[in-house]
Amino acid sequence: MKLNTIGVLTSGGDAPGMNAAVRSVVRTALYRGMKVKGILDGYEGLFNKTVIDMGDRSVSDIIQRGGTILGTARSEKFKTQEGVKEAAEACRELGIEGIVVIGGDGSFRGARDLSLQGIPCIGIPATIDNDISSTEYTIGFDTAMNTACEMTDKLRDTVQSHCRCSIVEVMGRHAGYLAYEVGTAVGATAILVPEIKYDLKTDVIDRILAAKEKGKKHFIVVVAENLCDVEAMSKEIEAATGVGTRPTILGHVQRGGNPTVRDRVMATKMGFYAVELLKEGIGNRVIAYKQGEIVNYDIYEALNMKKVLNADDLHIAHRVSR
Ligand code: ADP
């Protein structure tokens, strides 16, 4: 079944590159002869019926902008059966026959529920955490890595001047992808991620002491968020090593900024493929990046996939940093 009008929304945590994906979805759909409605503030926009007609020019000048021009929100109402039914009804009233949902795993669960209610949805993975199991890459991850790396490089300057240790907490929700990449890129003495158990003494303190013994004077430890209290950890490290230690939580700065080339290109491709599926009335699928290719999976299947952080990669990073 060919669709005439589709919607596009961004949902969950924002990520740089979401705008580039919106642009791609809108322009691909228009090129394919469909009408496009931008749904504001995630699934909430369906309840509020806040939708805007999108033309080629409504997505001008956004490919390079962080955040999302459509706004994003977390909708508790949408998580209920009644909420999903009401949202599907709203789509019918608004003439929206299918939706491209740009967001994370939570947003995909919503997309599956809406597809089951007769509104075909295609998910595009966008989160700075790269914590979606069905895909090797999520839109926003590259920008966040580069931002966190740049911030940590700045910390390194002062840590080096004062012969200190810097404990840097990066985001990642419950995954260590961001911490691993950033930690490796900044040459961290220790990288702590939720996927791999650590012991503060052997995995951090002893490593700092061993490097100190060999003449190293400043240290960086990268820690994934939700893993420990970095303030308390800093005090313990300082007491055990005698090296002045300061914690820094990078926080939401990692979610902002202009998307990198990689995020823009990936968003453009994923947006295109999402519309190619949806235009035929195909729904309940998510776009993914696997071994250099853009592929798609059934949402249920995708949500049940497993992805693991490679422990060997972490060992390499640690071995090289001494
Ligand atoms: P993300 O998409 O980044 O993982 P969230 O987990 O906050 O972010 O999910 C975004 C939105 O998706 C939620 O506010 C909610 O509206 C919808 N959602 C999340 N989980 C579910 C679920 N289990 N069923 C239906 N909708 C969900």
Side-chain angles (χ1 to χ4, degrees):
M1 183 189 71
K2 295 243 188 253
L3 303 191
N4 295 312
T5 305
I6 65 164
V8 56
L9 62 81
T10 49
S11 166
D14 66 336
M18 277 183 160
N19 279 329
V22 169
R23 170 182 175 272
S24 173
V25 167
V26 168
R27 295 217 174 134
T28 306
L30 293 171
Y31 173 73
R32 292 292 185 203
M34 291 182 282
K35 289 193 178 124
V36 193
K37 290 183 189 285
I39 301 161
L40 305 184
D41 304 325
Y43 294 115
E44 279 292 304
L46 292 173
F47 300 128
N48 304 332
K49 310 230 170 70
T50 41
V51 298
I52 47 173
D53 292 327
M54 309 290 281
D56 278 327
R57 294 287 71 77
S58 52
V59 288
S60 292
D61 204 25
I62 65 167
I63 194 168
Q64 81 287 10
R65 277 165 61 189
T68 157
I69 60 158
L70 295 178
T72 181
R74 294 199 158 92
S75 170
E76 281 309 308
K77 186 174 170 186
F78 191 77
K79 285 187 181 173
T80 64
Q81 266 246 303
E82 301 74 55
V84 178
K85 281 194 177 139
E86 188 183 324
E89 205 41 55
C91 287
R92 287 183 192 104
E93 273 175 44
L94 294 162
I96 295 172
E97 299 164 297
I99 302 180
V100 176
V101 172
I102 304 165
D105 266 349
S107 304
F108 292 172
R109 287 194 176 87
R112 179 199 54 196
D113 293 351
L114 205 48
S115 296
L116 293 176
Q117 290 297 324
I119 306 295
C121 294
I122 305 289
I124 293 181
T127 155
I128 65 158
D129 305 320
N130 197 18
D131 61 347
I132 301 178
S133 299
S134 53
T135 183
E136 288 164 12
Y137 190 80
T138 61
I139 295 166
F141 181 57
D142 192 59
T143 307
M145 281 193 298
N146 280 288
T147 302
C149 180
E150 194 185 325
M151 296 292 159
T152 310
D153 283 346
K154 289 184 201 293
L155 283 169
R156 178 197 277 270
D157 290 345
T158 165
V159 160
Q160 185 261 334
S161 308
H162 288 269
C163 300
R164 277 186 186 149
C165 174
S166 184
I167 311 296
V168 187
E169 182 186 292
V170 302
M171 290 181 87
R173 195 133 76 159
H174 301 291
Y177 298 103
L178 202 50
Y180 158 68
E181 298 275 352
V182 174
T184 305
V186 301
T189 301
I191 305 166
L192 305 181
V193 296
E195 293 87 347
I196 298 167
K197 256 188 137 144
Y198 73 92
D199 173 78
L200 187 63
K201 175 152 183 350
T202 52
D203 296 320
V204 184
I205 292 168
D206 288 353
R207 256 186 225 148
I208 292 175
L209 288 173
K212 197 177 162 197
E213 183 95 359
K214 283 189 277 176
K216 194 172 168 84
K217 290 196 171 63
H218 60 277
F219 310 88
I220 292 171
V221 175
V222 172
V223 183
E225 68 176 335
N226 296 315
L227 200 57
C228 66
D229 174 349
V230 285
E231 189 95 35
M233 178 186 269
S234 298
K235 288 193 179 122
E236 274 190 70
I237 293 173
E238 180 164 321
T241 62
V243 179
T245 304
R246 303 282 185 276
T248 302
I249 298 172
L250 294 185
H252 280 115
V253 70
Q254 294 161 96
R255 291 243 286 251
N258 298 350
T260 58
V261 169
R262 181 141 203 243
D263 277 332
R264 297 181 202 191
V265 172
M266 202 62 96
T268 302
K269 280 183 165 180
M270 288 184 168
F272 175 84
Y273 285 112
V275 174
E276 289 300 288
L277 287 174
L278 195 55
K279 78 177 185 354
E280 303 298 339
I282 295 169
N284 203 19
R285 313 281 301 174
V286 285
I287 302 293
Y289 180 75
K290 272 276 158 79
Q291 296 175 339
E293 307 243 347
I294 307 275
V295 295
N296 64 86
Y297 299 113
D298 171 88
I299 298 186
Y300 183 77
E301 230 178 82
L303 289 171
N304 285 300
M305 288 178 178
K306 292 268 173 291
K307 173 161 103 171
V308 283
L309 191 138
N310 190 343
D312 289 345
D313 286 345
L314 205 63
H315 291 318
I316 293 170
H318 284 147
R319 202 154 302 145
V320 175
S321 179
R322 12 189 304 123

